[in-house]
Amino acid sequence: MVELGRRFRDRVALALFLLPTVYLVTFFVFPVASVLLGLKDFDWGLLFSPFYFNLEPVGKMIEIRSFGPRTFVIVKGVDVGVVLNSLINSALVTLFATLIGASVAVLTALFDFPGRRVFIFLASLPLLVAPFVNAYVVKLLYGFNLQGNTISFLLKSLGFDVVVGFTKLAGVTLAQTLAFFPIVYINTLAAIMAIDASLIEQARNLGARGFTVVRKVVLPLAMPGILAGATLVYILSLEDVGAPIVFNFKNLVSYQVYEFFQEFTSIGGVGAAAALCVIMLVASLVPLAVVKKYLSLRYYAKLSRGAPRPFERMRLGRVGMAAAYLLVLPVLVAAAAPQLGVFVLAFSERWVGALPQGFTLGNFEIIFSKPGVFRGIVNSLTYAAMAVPLIAVLGFSAAYTVARETVRGAGALDLLSTAPLAVPGLVVAFGYFIFLHSVAPGSPLDPLTLPAAVLVIAYVARKMPFTVRAVFTGLLQTPKEMEEVAESLGATRGTVLRKVVLPLTKRSLLAGLLLSSIYVLSEVSVSVTIGALGGDVVDPNHAGPITFVIMRLIQAPAFGGGAQPQAVAAAMASILMLIEALVLFVATNRLARRGQSLISV
Amino acid sequence: MRIRVEGVSKRFGKFHALKNVSLEVRDGEFFAILGPSGSGKTTLLRILAGFEFPDEGRIYFGDEDVTFKGPEERGAAMVFQNWALWPHMTVYENIAFGLKVRKLPKEVVDQKVRWALKLLGLEGLENRYPHQLSGGQQQRVALARALVVEPKVLLLDEPLSNLDARLRLKLRGELKKIQRELGITAIYVTHDQEEALAMADRLALINKGELVEVGTPEQIYRDPQHPFTAIFIGKTSTAKGRVVERGDGLARIAVGENIITAKAHGLNTERALVVFKSDLAKARPREGYSPLTGRVTVSMYMGSQVEVRMVPKGSEEELVFYLAEQEPPPPGSEVTVYLPVEGVHAYPL
Ligand SMILES: Nc1ncnc2c1ncn2[C@@H]1O[C@H](COP(=O)(O)OP(=O)(O)O)[C@@H](O)[C@H]1O
Ligand SMILES: [Mg+2]
């Protein structure tokens, strides 16, 4: 400690380093590492049963049947056991999401064509996350449903008597691809925008045309952004429970871990859940190791330093136009439709078949009249109110240390403060459960005693990176000399922080905190696992946050009184999406400085 | 390739970046465009490269009208101020880019890249990435990449401005030599008058988007037709004067109580703007030089020269002169400097 202290300029610097480091080591590294504790007495041989690995695929990828004039096309996907299913599904989702996201980014950032803004709007829409409800609407639109789905209805009204439907694993893949591709889009976009115009102009000057410029110059230069986005999609897909729950496909790692928290008796018990968490962790660490560099704050700094000269967009040729309108646009519309569908469902009396029925405001009334439902909102706001001040202090300290200190510990903190973005939330949740339940059984920190405390602690660790990033970029754009001059005039470090650094970075801090808070509100993994430990929704004093309530509503068979629980969930999700839209707008348009890309990671 | 710019104007919103610029660059010529920063040099070069289109006017490469052709189709290779080396490509790949885009066979590409590497002394560096090169080497790669495609015209936008002074001088010579050897037409944008005078066969002065004057370095330096040119080139200082006598390209001008001989440029008025070439002044009398007496305000030792600031007798405007072989005269003392005719230019005021 003395040794460590000596490498920092003074106590303030040391404190700023220690605060976030100690927090993240205690509440992130230890819990994640203690997943291994759960492996005690676990027989790994169990994992090699066909339930987990099955090299003889069960089921048919696509089933096509005809009944009279009507053709059924049912896309199902095959079942190759829990572990392989997860790996294959996430790989496919990543592949599709990357293809779509990167294409849209290249198309809209580099080329000018009529309707470009519409493309951008459609691609950005799924950035507003509506946990569970989004997948539910995907199922209504494209899922296989005996009562018909929307896409088949549209096909029929165009004269094609085909019923198309996605179900099982294929449904999960579809829902996740549509929900996650904007993450690749936004990251690729940020990377492309960081390319200086001269690099593109030089290529054209030497005779390269549209597609050659893209292939040889733009894509290689944007690769870090594409890879960072793809990795995040992969991790999000691995840990997602929304789509598996909605499509009722249980043979996925994420679902199995989730189920452990429902009964504490998933097949194989704690040991199997721990083993699955380890697999999930390893599966996400491997790609992460490849792109680690691109996720670090210091790498990020290189991208955002100095504003590149913006380039002129090129005119899109005929082939490009055809591709944009015939290939890309349908995909974008298909991906944006569920987001819009959430709002439609929120105002519908009923939507179970192809089309919604009846307009009502009743779903919003129920949010306030059902105590268990309303309780979720109160809980979420309470948790966020407790988490945000902590995130402010810890996130600011971490960002300041990484931006301004050159000691080795600062580099470690760089990694540590972005790592939570990259570790599946379910692993974190399971780790907390094992860690706190075994370190502090029966104490307020034991999730079985007081899930609320654990939720807040976990939210702080998981959603702090957004604030760290924002403050970090703010600091980069504030020359260090401004602090040094204050010190040379006799100000103490404390005064410098209060009077110089904070005023200069407060907009970035605010932007970061806004982002962190919407991601706290929409957090799923910890919320639906640890959050479920404090009683179910019927209990008016349960500890679950909004997302937990939404999940329960999506799973609910029916209320008494006729309202469709899923529509109530959609109403809650709509409110959440509006808040997200507002925050993203304020944070990116009003608070971020020019050239600062906040929402990409 | 002969290049013609005819009546080119360019607006960015309300801002008039270029106003009716016309000029002609001869085949094989090294043509410099000189002007202060913000004068529109880069804009003109980008219009020549096809990155911007003029609002009015036309651009000809030879007899071909290329005004609205895209950058890909012009065969004009550009060297950017920041060199724009692609960080993800090696030196070899950077240089080969334009050739590969032209779909030349692999052997031809290789042969031409080797030629360019040799020409610019880059042999042995072909597998390095740009960040592994020094500034001078990066500059050479940018040049090699442009030259290797055998462009009709080479467009250079302050290519040496990111280098330190010593290297700048060295590369200035190399660049000029290569241009000579290849006989390529080059248009070179710079705000550095010394660079323009040293390198160019002819140069154009541009100010606030307007073409001021075109001429050889000699003409521009010795016989500036426009007061902007006279003031911009060399070390200068200016005063207002009264025309006493006029005739045969010369004039006698009163600056305060001093009467001096100046080159007259279209002088048809009573009052004149007098531009002094500060470093042509001498401390001792010479044949044909006009004396100018005044009181010293400040003097500074500058190594090979002394900077003397003085207010001429009967005047209130301070003038600056650089005198060789001289002790700094004390402030308040009286001093006389001697000015050659080509060191004093008078314009109508
Ligand atoms: N794309 C543009 N949009 C608006 N103004 C521009 C643009 N490009 C250049 N300008 C303006 O035109 C003027 C001339 O610019 P430029 O040609 O770059 O000057 P120079 O290269 O001589 O320094 C400057 O005032 C600059 O701000
Ligand atoms: Mg310029």
Side-chain angles (χ1 to χ4, degrees):
Chain A
M1 207 53 162
V2 175
E3 183 46 37
L4 186 64
R6 207 173 290 156
R7 286 192 270 132
F8 284 86
R9 280 186 289 168
D10 52 33
R11 280 177 199 208
V12 177
L14 182 62
L16 291 178
F17 167 73
L18 284 181
L19 272 174
T21 308
V22 169
Y23 187 92
L24 287 168
V25 168
T26 314
F27 293 116
F28 182 72
V29 176
F30 283 169
V32 170
S34 57
V35 167
L36 296 174
L37 289 179
L39 289 176
K40 212 170 36 180
D41 309 328
F42 178 67
D43 169 16
W44 283 91
L46 200 68
L47 273 189
F48 293 96
S49 63
F51 180 68
Y52 293 106
F53 284 93
N54 183 4
L55 298 180
E56 285 153 38
V58 178
K60 257 171 90 180
M61 188 70 213
I62 298 186
E63 220 175 283
I64 302 176
R65 288 207 194 146
S66 294
F67 289 102
R70 178 167 299 171
T71 314
F72 284 82
V73 180
I74 310 169
V75 189
K76 292 177 168 173
V78 294
D79 187 344
V80 283
V82 168
V83 174
L84 288 181
N85 283 345
S86 271
L87 294 179
I88 292 172
N89 173 59
S90 296
L92 285 178
V93 168
T94 308
L95 177 71
F96 297 146
T98 305
L99 284 177
I100 302 170
S103 314
V104 179
V106 165
L107 186 67
T108 55
L110 249 69
F111 295 95
D112 243 337
F113 55 95
R116 181 177 151 267
R117 282 174 187 283
V118 176
F119 279 60
I120 294 176
F121 173 76
L122 291 174
S124 314
L125 205 53
L127 283 172
L128 307 177
V129 283
F132 300 99
V133 189
N134 180 277
Y136 184 80
V137 179
V138 168
K139 193 175 164 191
L140 289 175
L141 297 175
Y142 315 115
F144 181 68
N145 184 345
L146 286 175
Q147 293 154 58
N149 63 16
T150 315
I151 186 80
S152 306
F153 177 84
L154 287 178
L155 285 174
K156 180 130 197 253
S157 42
L158 291 174
F160 303 99
D161 203 358
V162 206
V163 174
V164 184
F166 287 75
T167 177
K168 299 194 173 170
L169 190 53
V172 174
T173 312
L174 176 73
Q176 291 182 348
T177 302
L178 296 185
F180 296 150
F181 85 85
I183 294 172
V184 181
Y185 164 70
I186 203 89
N187 279 282
T188 310
L189 195 65
I192 293 179
M193 290 310 188
I195 299 175
D196 189 85
S198 65
L199 295 180
I200 290 170
E201 286 169 355
Q202 182 78 74
R204 302 184 63 198
N205 171 253
L206 292 173
R209 282 160 195 277
F211 192 63
T212 313
V213 178
V214 170
R215 200 163 44 88
K216 293 211 169 183
V217 177
V218 176
L219 281 182
L221 289 173
M223 201 42 84
I226 299 176
L227 288 178
T231 310
L232 274 143
V233 166
Y234 176 77
I235 291 163
L236 286 174
S237 159
L238 267 185
E239 70 164 343
D240 177 49
V241 288
I245 286 176
V246 167
F247 281 91
N248 198 22
F249 187 78
K250 301 185 176 177
N251 287 354
L252 284 168
V253 172
S254 56
Y255 195 97
Q256 294 297 314
V257 174
Y258 157 78
E259 198 162 68
F260 168 80
F261 281 90
Q262 306 309 302
E263 316 273 342
F264 299 121
T265 55
S266 78
I267 304 164
V270 180
L276 290 175
C277 280
V278 170
I279 288 175
M280 211 192 302
L281 190 60
V282 171
S284 53
L285 286 182
V286 171
L288 196 64
V290 180
V291 302
K292 179 180 116 220
K293 187 175 95 188
Y294 305 136
L295 289 175
S296 106
L297 287 171
R298 284 180 181 174
Y299 178 82
Y300 186 66
K302 277 207 294 194
L303 280 187
S304 37
R305 176 166 307 149
R309 184 161 61 85
F311 45 82
E312 295 265 316
R313 286 187 294 274
M314 295 181 269
R315 218 166 43 82
L316 192 59
R318 236 170 249 197
V319 180
M321 283 291 276
Y325 273 88
L326 299 178
L327 235 58
V328 180
L329 188 60
V331 174
L332 289 181
V333 170
Q339 240 59 20
L340 298 172
V342 172
F343 289 106
V344 174
L345 178 57
F347 290 100
S348 299
E349 281 172 2
R350 221 178 136 65
W351 186 0
V352 288
L355 295 179
Q357 287 156 4
F359 174 86
T360 179
L361 294 174
N363 299 320
F364 289 90
E365 274 166 39
I366 291 177
I367 296 177
F368 298 98
S369 61
K370 283 229 187 273
V373 173
F374 188 63
R375 174 78 188 183
I377 295 182
V378 174
N379 283 344
S380 271
L381 292 178
T382 314
Y383 300 157
M386 297 200 282
V388 165
L390 278 172
I391 292 179
V393 173
L394 297 171
F396 179 85
S397 309
Y400 188 82
T401 305
V402 179
R404 294 289 194 250
E405 302 293 339
T406 49
V407 296
R408 205 180 324 138
L413 185 57
D414 178 352
L415 194 67
L416 197 57
S417 57
T418 32
L421 285 178
V423 173
L426 284 172
V427 176
V428 178
F430 186 76
Y432 270 93
F433 179 75
I434 300 275
F435 177 63
L436 293 174
H437 186 54
S438 57
V439 172
S443 82
L445 283 183
D446 181 344
L448 284 177
T449 321
L450 191 61
V454 183
L455 284 174
V456 173
I457 291 172
Y459 288 157
V460 172
R462 293 202 72 208
K463 304 304 174 184
M464 186 161 64
F466 298 100
T467 297
V468 179
R469 274 232 147 125
V471 177
F472 182 78
T473 25
L475 279 166
L476 286 184
Q477 293 165 349
T478 314
K480 207 173 152 197
E481 289 75 14
M482 292 192 187
E483 295 164 43
E484 289 168 347
V485 80
E487 278 184 81
S488 78
L489 293 173
T492 62
R493 282 294 296 281
T495 312
V496 173
L497 283 176
R498 242 174 339 106
K499 299 257 168 155
V500 180
V501 183
L502 262 182
L504 288 173
T505 50
K506 67 168 188 266
R507 289 163 69 89
S508 307
L509 177 62
L510 191 56
L513 288 176
L514 281 171
L515 286 182
S516 287
S517 31
I518 56 167
Y519 292 125
V520 164
L521 291 179
S522 56
E523 203 275 355
V524 171
S525 304
V526 180
S527 306
V528 303
T529 48
I530 305 272
L533 301 178
D536 212 339
V537 210
V538 283
D539 177 358
N541 292 319
H542 70 87
I546 294 178
T547 45
F548 170 71
V549 174
I550 291 180
M551 176 186 77
R552 279 292 185 246
L553 290 169
I554 290 286
Q555 290 170 321
F559 284 138
Q564 186 185 351
Q566 290 79 19
V568 179
M572 289 181 88
S574 310
I575 297 175
L576 198 57
M577 282 161 74
L578 283 181
I579 297 175
E580 287 165 8
L582 188 71
V583 163
L584 288 178
F585 178 79
V586 171
T588 54
N589 288 356
R590 292 277 172 270
L591 293 173
R593 304 184 200 198
R594 235 189 109 246
Q596 185 179 2
S597 159
L598 275 176
I599 35 182
S600 65
V601 266
Chain B
M1 173 75 53
R2 193 167 54 104
I3 310 285
R4 267 190 305 144
V5 176
E6 270 183 14
V8 162
S9 294
K10 176 75 185 174
R11 268 186 216 106
F12 294 113
K14 281 191 176 159
F15 181 77
H16 226 132
L18 288 176
K19 299 172 202 163
N20 193 23
V21 171
S22 298
L23 51 84
E24 185 170 333
V25 179
R26 297 170 193 150
D27 186 28
E29 188 170 43
F30 195 115
F31 191 88
I33 298 173
L34 174 65
S37 118
S39 56
K41 308 181 294 292
T42 297
T43 305
L44 179 55
L45 205 65
R46 290 173 59 80
I47 287 176
L48 284 165
F51 295 126
E52 315 268 0
F53 299 129
D55 299 325
E56 285 158 44
R58 316 218 62 94
I59 306 286
Y60 296 92
F61 282 15
D63 293 323
E64 190 192 358
D65 183 344
V66 298
T67 314
F68 295 108
K69 281 205 161 175
E72 307 90 342
E73 343 173 81
R74 293 212 179 184
M78 177 119 169
V79 177
F80 283 84
Q81 186 165 8
N82 64 0
W83 307 325
L85 298 181
W86 296 298
H88 61 292
M89 296 184 199
T90 61
V91 168
Y92 187 100
E93 289 163 345
N94 262 286
I95 299 177
F97 182 92
L99 301 167
K100 287 187 187 158
V101 165
R102 285 167 175 70
K103 303 227 157 55
L104 297 180
K106 212 163 174 269
E107 311 79 56
V108 180
V109 170
D110 194 60
Q111 183 197 334
K112 285 181 188 265
V113 173
R114 302 268 155 228
W115 168 81
L117 285 166
K118 183 146 184 280
L119 183 71
L120 285 141
L122 291 166
E123 291 143 308
L125 300 177
E126 45 270 52
N127 293 323
R128 298 235 189 132
Y129 283 91
H131 69 266
Q132 299 168 315
L133 301 177
S134 70
Q137 289 167 337
Q138 293 186 16
Q139 209 288 321
R140 287 192 179 93
V141 176
L143 195 57
R145 182 175 62 181
L147 286 172
V148 80
V149 298
E150 295 167 43
K152 295 175 186 159
V153 54
L154 188 60
L155 305 173
L156 305 116
D157 190 0
E158 313 215 15
L160 304 181
S161 65
N162 284 344
L163 299 171
D164 64 60
R166 202 177 283 267
L167 205 52
R168 200 152 57 215
L169 279 183
K170 179 159 179 267
L171 281 170
R172 189 198 277 182
E174 284 181 27
L175 183 54
K176 174 78 195 183
K177 184 163 151 267
I178 290 172
Q179 184 266 341
R180 261 289 136 68
E181 279 172 12
L182 301 179
I184 189 173
T185 310
I187 301 181
Y188 188 102
V189 158
T190 180
H191 69 270
D192 181 337
Q193 45 159 309
E194 210 181 281
E195 210 165 87
L197 292 173
M199 299 175 85
D201 297 320
R202 288 190 310 142
L203 62 152
L205 258 92
I206 172 167
N207 183 36
K208 293 185 181 157
E210 281 178 281
L211 186 78
V212 177
E213 195 165 343
V214 180
T216 63
E218 179 86 11
Q219 287 168 345
I220 294 287
Y221 189 82
R222 296 274 168 209
D223 195 18
Q225 295 306 308
H226 195 282
F228 172 79
T229 315
I231 295 168
F232 189 73
I233 300 284
K235 290 177 176 167
T236 55
S237 83
T238 58
K240 293 187 193 72
R242 191 166 44 79
V243 180
V244 179
E245 200 183 323
R246 226 182 321 234
D248 204 22
L250 296 182
R252 302 277 292 160
I253 312 248
V255 176
E257 295 171 15
N258 296 281
I259 307 236
I260 51 180
T261 309
K263 270 201 170 174
H265 300 276
L267 204 54
N268 50 9
T269 51
E270 198 61 14
R271 291 163 51 69
L273 173 71
V274 188
V275 181
F276 297 94
K277 298 268 168 189
S278 303
D279 43 7
L280 294 183
K282 301 290 178 198
R284 314 214 187 293
R286 291 200 190 184
E287 177 72 41
Y289 280 51
S290 315
L292 179 76
T293 307
R295 196 162 294 281
V296 176
T297 49
V298 184
S299 65
M300 280 178 281
Y301 177 69
M302 295 180 62
S304 62
Q305 289 176 325
V306 173
E307 178 181 319
V308 177
R309 293 181 174 264
M310 56 109 95
V311 178
K313 260 192 187 162
S315 166
E316 276 163 8
E317 288 168 301
E318 191 182 67
L319 297 176
V320 186
F321 294 103
Y322 298 91
L323 304 170
E325 301 156 34
Q326 170 81 19
E327 292 289 305
S333 64
E334 198 174 271
V335 70
T336 303
V337 299
Y338 301 88
L339 299 157
V341 175
E342 71 266 24
V344 189
H345 298 268
Y347 300 89
L349 190 68

